[in-house]
Amino acid sequence: MLESNQHSIFQTINAASPIDKVGVEERVARFQTRSIKDDAKAQGLKMVLSMIDLTTLEGKDTPGKVKQMCFKAHHLHDLHPNLPQVAAVCVYPSMVAIAKQALKGTSVKIASVATAFPSGQSNLEIKLADVKLAVDSGADEIDMVISRGKFLSGEYNFVFDEIAMIKEACGVARLKVILETGELCTLDNVRKASDIAMYAGADFIKTSTGKIQPAATMQVTYTMLLAIKDYFEATGKMIGMKPAGGISTSKLALHNLVMVNEILGPNWLHNKWFRFGASSLANDVLMQLLKLESGSYQSPNYFTLD
Amino acid sequence: MSNLEVLKTYKLYIGGAFPRTESGRFYAPVSNQGEVLGNICLSSRKDLRNAVVAARKAQGPWEERSAFNRSQILYRIAELFSDRKEIFLKEFQKQGSSPEEAVLEFSTTLDRIVYYAGWCDKYNQVLSSVNSVNSSHFNFSTCEPMGIVALIAPQNTALIGLVSLILPALAGGNTLVALASETLPISAISFAEVLNDSDVPAGVINILTGKQDEIAPIMASHMDINALISSDLGSIENQIAEACIDNLKRKFTYTEDFNQPESQGLTFIADLQEIKTTWHPIENIGGSTSTY
């Protein structure tokens, strides 16, 4: 199936014009100068909360830590009524079953990283088994990493086929493809990897693992959003976007929403199509929301320790 | 050769840098001789917020430095301050002091810095105690810094009031966000330059300029500020005291004349310390078989 289509797909992928880095920087700078008034800010901040994938991806994760995070996912700040839940929690495959148990009866989704996260340095068999473990344990979403080494050596077919096979293994789970843009070196590569991921079957494209710097810079997210726009115009299919890593302040999150709205439009302003991968963003947003309400600047002392 | 006079821009001191106020506002205080002191930044609430973020970041590392090291750093402030005597004398006189008053304020300030530098590694021994309790516990109390201290500098002095309240807070391991005297602000910023050139880590002291009526209420209601110290705030005193309640901020008002050599002491350090008492279970304290 792939072989007959591949020629035309790769023509499309290679057809994207080169990225003008200086132009991107200027455009991105303009998203950061919008004046957002208090009412809009409060709504925007609540939207940010509803789009967060609350994340813990550490070697030292324990069932206790995961349970605590799951509790937080649907009790963001009990002293403040009318807060949304976060969109999902994001954990390692070994923690999916624990998260599933902890989130029973809530609408919070479970995302699991897989495919030898974060490096992706393993063979296909093991990557598929990793995905199977996560899916069988109850993950609703799979965050896979692409093989950056293969990508950078020009083996685009390999990367494409791998994503397609992982997608097949996901079944009904939605697939987020992590490009790890910090290792792709140029925005042209980011664009190319985005196109490969989308044509290979990604439901979401995601910037980073959070383990490599730089992670979700606005320049990179901008480039990926444009790729999503072009893909939508070519195929009519909506693809989700997930910047992850380095978005820890409300201000930056709001800038990202402004950017999504201006490039993709309001249809993407929903947690079905846009997510933030973050661990410390939620508390900052909560602090800003309470500041708007009370008029006083807040202290981290009165929010959860994650 | 050029005879062009280049005027200094007085800016804020936040997180070890000298930014202008984000609000872009300024005011031009006038000395009692009618001379305009300069265009001074009129800080906004966002400048205060940024200063508190910088202070919070600096708090842990400053507190964890050894007391002796803090003492060395405070002494280093005195060294650099002493080195810039001419600048400060000129500024004091520009702000309305007579030459004699200027020399006196300078020397009192210098003495005060050295005085508190000496206290850094001693106050904890004096304020701490081993307590007798009627159970098998080794019970002791020690000092811990309160955290971020907001300081509203006395209005009537250019520097001695500010320094007399900054130094004891620093000696005790606190970080500070200070608002300079509204009418006499320029020496405070020159002092920030001294701090920046000494070994005080970025963010440990942050100095703003602007209107007391604007900044003081925001300081008082800020949940991440742990104490607020000032001279008498006059008509806004009660309003400020009420706003401090939300996070149980410690509030101290000092009415001393800081020009006097005796307006210093351990009490200024002690006011900004929390006392932590530890109950350590042991057998038979004080008995012949006790290992304590």
Side-chain angles (χ1 to χ4, degrees), chain B residues 102-145:
Chain B
V103 170
L104 186 65
E105 178 160 3
F106 182 85
S107 56
T108 315
T109 306
L110 186 57
D111 287 352
R112 197 141 293 160
I113 300 171
V114 175
Y115 172 81
Y116 284 113
W119 264 119
C120 287
D121 57 354
K122 301 174 185 72
Y123 71 88
N124 211 352
Q125 294 89 310
V126 180
L127 297 174
S128 300
S129 60
V130 174
N131 315 311
S132 293
V133 288
N134 194 17
S135 62
S136 305
H137 290 91
F138 178 45
N139 183 296
F140 56 98
S141 302
T142 52
C143 295
E144 287 185 357

Side-chain angles (χ1 to χ4, degrees), chain B residues 104-267:
Chain B
L104 186 65
E105 178 160 3
F106 182 85
S107 56
T108 315
T109 306
L110 186 57
D111 287 352
R112 197 141 293 160
I113 300 171
V114 175
Y115 172 81
Y116 284 113
W119 264 119
C120 287
D121 57 354
K122 301 174 185 72
Y123 71 88
N124 211 352
Q125 294 89 310
V126 180
L127 297 174
S128 300
S129 60
V130 174
N131 315 311
S132 293
V133 288
N134 194 17
S135 62
S136 305
H137 290 91
F138 178 45
N139 183 296
F140 56 98
S141 302
T142 52
C143 295
E144 287 185 357
M146 282 194 173
I148 300 181
V149 177
L151 157 60
I152 301 163
Q155 291 296 308
N156 55 355
T157 62
L159 192 59
I160 182 68
L162 179 77
V163 167
S164 299
L165 293 176
I166 283 183
L167 266 289
L170 275 192
N174 299 285
T175 54
L176 282 130
V177 178
L179 178 67
S181 164
E182 189 175 318
T183 47
L184 309 170
I186 64 175
S187 308
I189 297 302
S190 295
F191 187 67
E193 289 157 12
V194 169
L195 296 170
N196 196 48
D197 286 355
S198 58
D199 300 323
V200 182
V204 167
I205 313 177
N206 305 276
I207 300 183
L208 307 176
T209 52
K211 304 265 183 218
Q212 184 175 297
D213 288 1
E214 268 180 23
I215 300 296
I218 322 269
M219 281 178 162
S221 66
H222 198 307
M223 297 291 279
D224 209 23
I225 292 177
N226 304 100
L228 188 147
I229 57 177
S230 65
S231 60
D232 188 12
L233 293 172
S235 60
I236 58 169
E237 180 77 42
N238 285 345
Q239 178 206 342
I240 296 300
E242 271 177 40
C244 284
I245 292 171
D246 263 354
N247 73 335
L248 303 178
K249 207 175 266 108
R250 305 300 201 282
K251 183 180 177 308
F252 296 97
T253 304
Y254 300 105
T255 52
E256 283 81 353
D257 174 6
F258 287 109
N259 283 302
Q260 301 305 318
E262 65 274 14
S263 295
Q264 59 189 19
L266 181 59
T267 166

Side-chain angles (χ1 to χ4, degrees), chain B residues 49-66:
Chain B
R49 178 197 61 188
N50 295 344
V52 173
V53 170
R56 180 54 71 197
K57 205 171 146 206
Q59 175 61 40
W62 179 242
E63 182 177 341
E64 281 157 25
R65 272 173 195 263
S66 72

